[in-house]
Amino acid sequence: MTDSGSAEQSRRPAFGEYATPEEQSRRAGRPLPPPVVHTPPAAVPGAQPAAPAEVVEERSAHPVDRMASIALLAYGLWNVITSTFAFLNPSSLMATMMQAVGISGTFSNYSQARTWGMVAGILLIVGWVITAAWSVARLRRGKLTWWLPVTGGVVFVTLTTLCMMVPFFTDPAVIAYLNQQLQK
């Protein structure tokens, strides 16, 4: 019998183990704790659910980055507009380039310059649109974005410069000037 008594005692709960907090407080002589009422938040009709706290903090974490990105995109747009007009009128652009290098001849490769100018203009416009769309998407997610307009500008200005170098270096006056420089 002693074995069954010790087994029965080991199965019994200890004092207050299964008691609720109210029962424990009442037996200990303490005041009852306030009841905890769990109510779900009321949904406001027509309101969108609030964004998580970390997303809100992340969006407002870079106000200087937002201003810098928008300013760089605006500068890029101005550059695209003015450069595209210059690319569509290649005669004055190529004459200016020849004067800057010091070539005394006149530019005569107009048909090729017009074609490559249109390609460069379209490439610059498409590049700005891609850069702006990607920048806006990153700004909306609250990510660091200032570097994207800078990188897009460098990449697409380099590509358009290469496009305009094709008719420049195939012009007879430029080829004659380069041959003259190599013979010195």
Side-chain angles (χ1 to χ4, degrees):
M1 283 247 185
T2 57
D3 291 333
S4 66
S6 65
E8 189 176 303
Q9 286 178 355
S10 64
R11 283 190 273 144
R12 286 184 156 172
F15 177 75
E17 185 177 5
Y18 293 126
T20 64
E22 292 83 17
E23 291 173 337
Q24 291 176 3
S25 296
R26 195 173 326 129
R27 288 195 180 155
R30 295 183 300 221
L32 293 174
V36 179
V37 179
H38 297 285
T39 57
V44 177
Q48 296 178 356
E54 64 186 40
V55 173
V56 172
E57 290 175 19
E58 198 175 30
R59 284 186 181 165
S60 62
H62 305 290
V64 174
D65 175 59
R66 180 177 301 272
M67 289 181 357
S69 298
I70 291 170
L72 287 168
L73 286 171
Y75 174 73
L77 180 62
W78 175 254
N79 186 23
V80 166
I81 291 169
T82 57
S83 297
T84 301
F85 283 123
F87 293 152
L88 295 178
N89 184 12
S91 60
S92 64
L93 176 66
M94 293 300 174
T96 305
M97 287 173 60
M98 289 176 75
Q99 286 177 350
V101 175
I103 301 173
S104 60
T106 58
F107 186 78
S108 61
N109 197 5
Y110 294 117
S111 62
Q112 192 177 25
R114 197 170 298 120
T115 303
W116 280 102
M118 288 174 56
V119 169
I122 291 170
L123 183 64
L124 200 58
I125 291 168
V126 169
W128 186 85
V129 168
I130 290 169
T131 303
W134 194 7
S135 296
V136 168
R138 286 183 61 87
L139 283 171
R140 286 185 178 165
R141 288 191 304 247
K143 293 189 175 185
L144 195 63
T145 307
W146 68 268
W147 61 271
L148 194 55
V150 171
T151 305
V154 168
V155 168
F156 288 104
V157 166
T158 301
L159 291 174
T160 57
T161 302
L162 292 174
C163 288
M164 294 312 290
M165 288 293 119
V166 171
F168 182 76
F169 283 114
T170 57
D171 184 68
V174 176
I175 292 172
Y177 175 78
L178 292 175
N179 284 336
Q180 183 185 22
Q181 294 298 317
L182 288 174
Q183 291 176 358
K184 284 186 180 182

